[in-house]
Structures are given as structure tokens and as C-alpha cells.
Amino acid sequence: MQQLPHLLVLMRPHQWLKNVFVFAGLLFAHAWHEGPLVLRAALAFAAFCCMSSLVYILNDWRYRASDALHPDKCHRPLASGAVSVPAAFTLAALLGVAGMALAANNRILLLLLVLYVALNLAYSWRLKHVPVVDVSIIATGFMLRLLAGTSAVGIPPSRWLLLTGLFIALFLGFSKRKAETFHNPEQQRAVLEHYPAALLDTLMAVTMTATITMYSLYATSAEAQMQHGERLVYTVPVVIFGLLRYAYQVHRGRGEDVARDLLRDPWILLTGAVWLLLFLGSRL
């Protein structure tokens, strides 16, 4: 029983915020009033929460020895010894079974979950050391969440949604790498040796520009105007402000943990609330 609080920490529930990408299809299809579809999306979200926690547990197990020597990571449950390896493996197995059970009625969702776990294990154990490939896998994880959400509710993914999601995921990935450069050299990832500061700044600028461009084209398109209404155009400056604010935080070294840093900045939270109000207001 003493391990229960530490087992919860081991699952990293704050990282579940990333899984809200699953609800993107439901939101942009204006199907949030349809109970059965909301339930399917919620089950897909829960499945991804289970599988993402499973990946974090396996990653912490593999690197528990090196994490124990790190000034911050040494507090992780496995690295500190607060959770035993058998207990961690038992929890990982339960999460895996639960995740697959939640997706049992959707073969595409099952396939996406398996692909998600495989890609993330490949990333954690090898590919995170390969420049650009590392961030591409992070972005792919977000795209799999998005596709899982549209698959769960039976809504074909919009090309605009896919492209905007891809670019914002790449922006967040390169922002994470930029934020990691603020660590002391001995605490930095090995892959950062291959990411000159100027290159990371360029990659952030390119992907942020692509995100703004793609979202702006979407918001002003005839298709979007017909489906979402005129108020969608007003969300463009809100999106621009949110991205610029996040870039500001990253250049202060605060964008390494996307989920946690999004929740810490009241301006980014306000931006999200204003965007949601404008978006939902177009159909309410």
C-alpha cells in the first residue's frame, strides 16, 4: 500500500494532457453533443492514457540506473527505489491489458495503439539519439492520437486537421529540444550535440510559421466557413498569440515538459479558453 502514491507518479498522469489530441476530430466535426460519439472518443482517450503510461514505466525501468545519478530524475519512483521493479512491471501489464480492452471493438484503434507503443519504445531505446528522426517520432505520436480520435468516432480526418496537427506537433517537438539546451552541459541529451542553437531556432520558426499558415488557410477556406462559421477567422490571432507566447516560454527554458508548462502559464491557459469560446460560439 505504501507504493500506491508512487505508482501513480510513475504513470505520469500530467502527461495525459497530450492525449486530448484524440478529441480533435470530435471537436472539429461539431459532434460533442452526440453522446455515443463522445463516449467512443473518451474510451480512445483512456486507451491512450493507459498505453502512454505503460511506455513511461518501461522507459523509467530501462534508465533507472542513469536516472539515479541525475539531479532531477533521481526522484523518479524507480530511480529512487520508491517503487520496486516487480510492482512496476505488474502495473505496466495491467495498463497494457486495460488499454487493449478499451480499444477491443475498433481494429484500427488497436493497430494505432500498437504502433504508438512500438514507435515510442524505439524512440526511448534508440531513435531519440538520431537528429530530426527523434522529433519526427514525437510528432507521429501526436498524429496517431489524432487519427485514433477520428477513427473512434467514425469521422474521416480532414486534410486541414492533419496538416495543422502535424506542423504544431513538430513545433512542440523542436521547442522541447530548444528548452533542453538550457540544462547544464552534463545534463543535456546526447542528441543535442547535433542540434546547433541556430538550427533549433530555425526549425522552431519554420514549423511555427507553417502551423500559422496552415491554420489561417483552413480558417478562411470556404469549407471551414460553411462548417464552422465566420467566427473561426477570429481564432487566428488567438492561435498566433498562443504560439508566440509558448515560443517565449521556450526561450526561457520552460518548454521541456509540454504538458506541465502549458498548465503553468496563465496566458496560455487563457488563450486556450478564448479559442474554445470562439470556436464553440460559432455553432452554439
Side-chain angles (χ1 to χ4, degrees):
M1 294 296 291
Q2 294 180 349
Q3 294 189 50
L4 285 178
H6 300 290
L7 287 171
L8 181 61
V9 174
L10 185 64
M11 292 168 60
R12 299 192 201 177
H14 74 279
Q15 295 289 357
W16 293 347
L17 178 63
K18 298 176 183 178
N19 297 326
V20 298
F21 262 59
V22 168
F23 294 105
L26 189 74
L27 186 65
F28 280 87
H30 293 281
W32 59 83
H33 297 301
E34 301 182 30
L37 295 185
V38 173
L39 177 59
R40 292 178 193 173
L43 290 175
F45 171 80
F48 262 90
C49 290
C50 290
M51 302 311 264
S52 59
S53 290
L54 180 153
V55 169
Y56 283 124
I57 292 172
L58 294 179
N59 180 70
D60 285 0
W61 165 74
R62 180 176 174 83
Y63 293 104
R64 65 193 185 282
S66 58
D67 285 350
L69 304 175
H70 193 278
D72 296 321
K73 296 179 181 180
C74 65
H75 300 295
R76 290 178 175 176
L78 278 170
S80 65
V83 171
S84 66
V85 171
F89 277 162
T90 299
L91 178 59
L94 291 174
L95 288 169
V97 171
M100 300 302 279
L102 288 167
N105 294 326
N106 190 323
R107 292 183 179 179
I108 296 178
L109 180 56
L110 279 172
L111 178 61
L112 292 172
L113 286 171
V114 171
L115 184 57
Y116 171 83
V117 172
L119 277 176
N120 277 274
L121 290 180
Y123 166 84
S124 296
W125 294 2
R126 177 66 184 92
L127 297 181
K128 67 180 181 180
H129 302 297
V130 184
V132 180
V133 173
D134 60 333
V135 174
S136 296
I137 291 179
I138 293 174
T140 300
F142 283 102
M143 297 305 293
L144 290 176
R145 292 175 174 95
L146 194 156
L147 290 171
T150 57
S151 169
V153 298
I155 298 172
S158 163
R159 64 184 185 278
W160 295 107
L161 183 61
L162 291 175
L163 289 173
T164 303
L166 172 62
F167 286 125
I168 196 170
L170 287 170
F171 168 71
L172 292 174
F174 287 121
S175 296
K176 176 179 172 64
R177 289 292 178 263
K178 178 67 179 181
E180 290 168 347
T181 63
F182 288 84
H183 291 307
N184 295 325
E186 64 273 10
Q187 298 175 12
Q188 292 182 6
R189 293 175 180 269
V191 74
L192 290 178
E193 296 179 5
H194 307 286
Y195 278 120
L199 175 61
L200 283 173
D201 288 338
T202 299
L203 293 172
M204 279 186 62
V206 167
T207 51
M208 182 168 65
T209 301
T211 300
I212 293 172
T213 301
M214 199 58 56
Y215 185 79
S216 300
L217 289 172
Y218 165 62
T220 56
S221 67
E223 173 188 339
Q225 293 294 298
M226 183 179 298
Q227 185 175 12
H228 305 294
E230 181 68 26
R231 292 179 71 173
L232 189 64
V233 176
Y234 305 144
T235 66
V236 173
V238 178
V239 169
I240 294 173
F241 173 81
L243 291 172
L244 292 176
R245 178 69 186 183
Y246 193 75
Y248 162 75
Q249 291 287 28
V250 167
H251 280 80
R252 298 176 66 200
R254 297 186 179 180
E256 181 180 355
D257 190 325
V258 176
R260 185 168 289 160
D261 290 318
L262 282 174
L263 294 174
R264 284 177 176 173
D265 188 329
W267 287 102
I268 292 179
L269 289 176
L270 178 61
T271 299
V274 171
W275 181 91
L276 196 60
L277 181 64
L278 288 171
F279 183 84
L280 295 181
S282 67
R283 299 293 288 189
L284 291 177

